[in-house]
């Protein structure tokens, strides 16, 4: 098959239910329920070859061959961790790869999904930032991560599932890739897709205020906000985006989000860094901020705090606080009546913990692009 044919075909993974129905009706002249059958083949049974979609007629299968494809990310590399965590490095094209991580925990299985190759926000404590920003992922590349994990896990919706939650907490800022992320999240929640409950799909953002409002209008997913500091001076140092959308504005956007969701809580992520934001005065400031949020919503525990001990990576100037400092910070919050679980570090033996999702990406992508360059110059043999 020539490259041209490959690129002009519609990748069905790029479409959510609505888009797929439209494609079947407008492009193929087929009934909507055909789109539903195909969705089930792709997402429930992990079938990508139209020939194997046996409840479609021969003529339709031929038409699909001609006009469409189901192109999934390629597993470049995968690594299980001793604690059950599983990491994939997925090739999205010749030179870009992202990481996806599965984290099993009592009764649930969470997949951490990436939304961009690299990230442009430059949070000073995040390893993805050191990679810079390459590009947004397409809908197919985002939902493709779920597809790969679900196939590996033998996950079937409506049966005993191993994939119960998705968090958009991998590489990238999901709200900077708004449309593709929203479309992919719609497939995650669709019964014909992965059938996840709204609450079990979480979008994490560093705080893009206008996009939080937009999200409230089009989606019902859970919102997590990377706060990391209780005052603007400190937050701007950690999350430079804070200069544009300072804490007060960000908190107002979160209030509006929660109000629209009629009483859903918002999670505030707080990465603890030694001597930076882990002192008692920070805890007290954070408590006030969270209390104000509850008061605005007139709801106890409207603000949930998630404490994340900093995960170090090569070249960083930050350190993880010792356990006693983490416990002290947590206790101050608890004593003020605020539940604040400390996120256990998972998969750190495979560099899959928060902020470590860079791993071999740079090396591998660099090596690959060099390989391609050599190819173009008429060097090494053909590549698949
Ligand atoms: N850009 C989005 C999505 C990435 S989520 C966001 O910022 O929310 C990744 C989560 O891990 C965020 O809460 C991020 O702040 C946190 N994180 C990043 N680097 C980390 C590190 N080195 N150690 C611990 N947590 C980190």
């Amino acid at each position: 098959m020539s490259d041209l044919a490959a690129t002009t075909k519609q990748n069905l993974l790029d479409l959510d239910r609505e888009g797929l129905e439209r494609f079947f009706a407008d492009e193929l002249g087929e009934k909507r329920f055909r789109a539903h059958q195909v969705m089930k083949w792709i997402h429930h049974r992990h079938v990508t070859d139209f020939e194997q979609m046996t409840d479609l007629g021969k003529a339709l299968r031929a038409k699909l061959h001609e006009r469409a494809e189901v192109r999934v990310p390629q597993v470049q590399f995968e690594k299980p961790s001793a604690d059950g965590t599983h990491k994939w490095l997925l090739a999205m094209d010749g030179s870009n790869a992202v990481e996806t991580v599965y984290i099993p925990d009592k009764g649930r299985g969470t997949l951490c999904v990436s939304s961009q190759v690299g990230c442009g926000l430059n949070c000073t404590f995040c390893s993805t930032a050191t990679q810079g920003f390459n590009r947004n992922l397409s809908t197919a590349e985002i939902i493709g991560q779920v597809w790969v994990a679900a196939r590996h896990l033998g996950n079937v919706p409506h049966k005993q599932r191993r994939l119960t939650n998705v968090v958009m907490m991998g590489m990238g800022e999901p709200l900077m890739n708004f449309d593709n992320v929203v479309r992919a999240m719609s497939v995650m929640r669709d019964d014909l897709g992965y059938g996840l409950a709204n609450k079990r799909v979480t979008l994490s953002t560093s705080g893009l205020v206008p996009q939080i409002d937009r999200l409230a209008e089009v989606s019902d997913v859970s919102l997590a906000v990377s706060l990391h500091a209780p005052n603007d001076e400190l937050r701007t140092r950690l999350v430079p985006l804070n200069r544009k959308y300072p804490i007060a504005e960000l908190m107002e956007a979160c209030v509006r989000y929660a109000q629209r969701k009629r009483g859903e809580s918002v999670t505030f992520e707080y990465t603890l860094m030694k001597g930076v934001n882990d002192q008692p005065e920070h805890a007290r400031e954070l408590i006030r901020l969270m209390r104000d949020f509850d008061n605005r919503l007139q709801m106890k525990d409207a603000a949930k705090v998630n404490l994340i001990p900093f995960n170090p990576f090569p070249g960083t100037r930050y350190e993880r606080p010792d356990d006693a400092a983490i416990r002290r910070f947590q206790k101050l919050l608890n004593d003020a009546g605020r539940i604040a679980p400390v996120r256990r570090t998972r998969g750190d033996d495979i560099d899959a913990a928060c902020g470590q999702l860079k791993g071999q990406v740079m090396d591998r992508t660099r090596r690959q692009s060099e390989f391609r360059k050599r190819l173009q110059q008429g060097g090494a043999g053909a590549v698949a």
Side-chain angles (χ1 to χ4, degrees), residues 147-207:
W147 187 93
V148 167
R151 183 185 56 169
H152 169 87
L153 297 166
N155 188 74
V156 180
H158 319 299
K159 297 218 174 121
Q160 213 188 9
R161 311 164 187 240
R162 300 199 52 209
L163 184 71
T164 60
N165 295 59
V166 169
V167 292
M168 297 300 304
M169 292 186 189
M171 297 165 80
E173 167 51 49
L175 290 183
M176 293 284 257
N177 185 12
F178 193 91
D179 293 338
N180 292 343
V181 165
V182 165
R183 209 174 296 123
M185 292 192 307
S186 127
V187 179
M188 294 172 201
R189 292 149 51 213
D190 197 319
D191 275 343
L192 299 173
Y194 297 88
L196 301 179
N198 285 331
K199 274 189 168 182
R200 291 173 176 268
V201 176
T202 302
L203 183 141
S204 177
T205 178
S206 10

Side-chain angles (χ1 to χ4, degrees), residues 87-267:
K87 176 168 92 167
W88 292 267
L89 183 68
L90 300 176
M92 296 304 184
D93 57 43
S95 53
N96 287 300
V98 299
E99 293 184 333
T100 306
V101 185
Y102 175 73
I103 307 150
D105 204 356
K106 300 168 226 92
R108 69 170 165 186
T110 303
L111 191 69
C112 183
V113 167
S114 295
S115 56
Q116 300 181 312
V117 185
C119 187
L121 290 185
N122 276 317
C123 299
T124 53
F125 59 94
C126 178
S127 77
T128 306
T130 62
Q131 182 185 346
F133 173 69
N134 284 25
R135 68 170 176 84
N136 278 333
L137 293 180
S138 65
T139 301
E141 291 165 336
I142 298 168
I143 201 65
Q145 298 170 59
V146 183
W147 187 93
V148 167
R151 183 185 56 169
H152 169 87
L153 297 166
N155 188 74
V156 180
H158 319 299
K159 297 218 174 121
Q160 213 188 9
R161 311 164 187 240
R162 300 199 52 209
L163 184 71
T164 60
N165 295 59
V166 169
V167 292
M168 297 300 304
M169 292 186 189
M171 297 165 80
E173 167 51 49
L175 290 183
M176 293 284 257
N177 185 12
F178 193 91
D179 293 338
N180 292 343
V181 165
V182 165
R183 209 174 296 123
M185 292 192 307
S186 127
V187 179
M188 294 172 201
R189 292 149 51 213
D190 197 319
D191 275 343
L192 299 173
Y194 297 88
L196 301 179
N198 285 331
K199 274 189 168 182
R200 291 173 176 268
V201 176
T202 302
L203 183 141
S204 177
T205 178
S206 10
L208 284 127
V209 165
Q211 285 87 338
I212 291 174
D213 285 326
R214 246 181 98 198
L215 185 70
E217 280 166 27
V218 300
S219 192
D220 285 317
V221 295
S222 295
L223 182 67
V225 171
S226 289
L227 190 64
H228 309 309
N231 63 64
D232 283 323
E233 193 270 318
L234 182 54
R235 188 163 192 268
T236 298
R237 268 200 278 148
L238 301 174
V239 183
L241 182 71
N242 192 69
R243 215 169 277 132
K244 197 157 180 196
Y245 304 115
I247 293 177
E249 275 181 46
L250 176 57
M251 297 307 287
E252 278 309 307
C254 294
V255 166
R256 290 191 293 274
Y257 192 90
Q259 277 169 342
R260 270 196 91 116
K261 303 298 159 211
R262 268 156 300 191
E264 282 302 321
S265 56
V266 171
T267 300

Side-chain angles (χ1 to χ4, degrees), residues 83 101 103 112 123-128 130 169 228 269-274 277 307-321 323 326 342-358:
D83 65 8
V101 185
I103 307 150
C112 183
C123 299
T124 53
F125 59 94
C126 178
S127 77
T128 306
T130 62
M169 292 186 189
H228 309 309
E269 295 156 278
Y270 196 100
T271 300
L272 285 163
M273 287 163 257
K274 184 177 184 173
N277 63 355
L307 299 174
I308 314 169
F310 175 71
N311 289 312
F313 54 89
T316 182
R317 65 184 122 124
Y318 299 109
E319 287 172 67
R320 177 189 301 214
D323 286 350
I326 295 172
V342 175
R343 200 184 291 166
R344 246 185 333 137
T345 301
R346 300 290 304 271
D348 53 353
D349 58 331
I350 54 168
D351 289 342
C354 289
Q356 291 186 323
L357 283 181
K358 186 166 75 86

Side-chain angles (χ1 to χ4, degrees), residues 365-375 377:
T365 49
R366 200 180 300 128
R367 246 183 285 143
Q368 272 199 345
S369 63
E370 277 163 15
F371 182 62
R372 273 154 53 100
K373 227 181 288 158
R374 260 184 287 139
L375 263 186
Q377 290 160 355

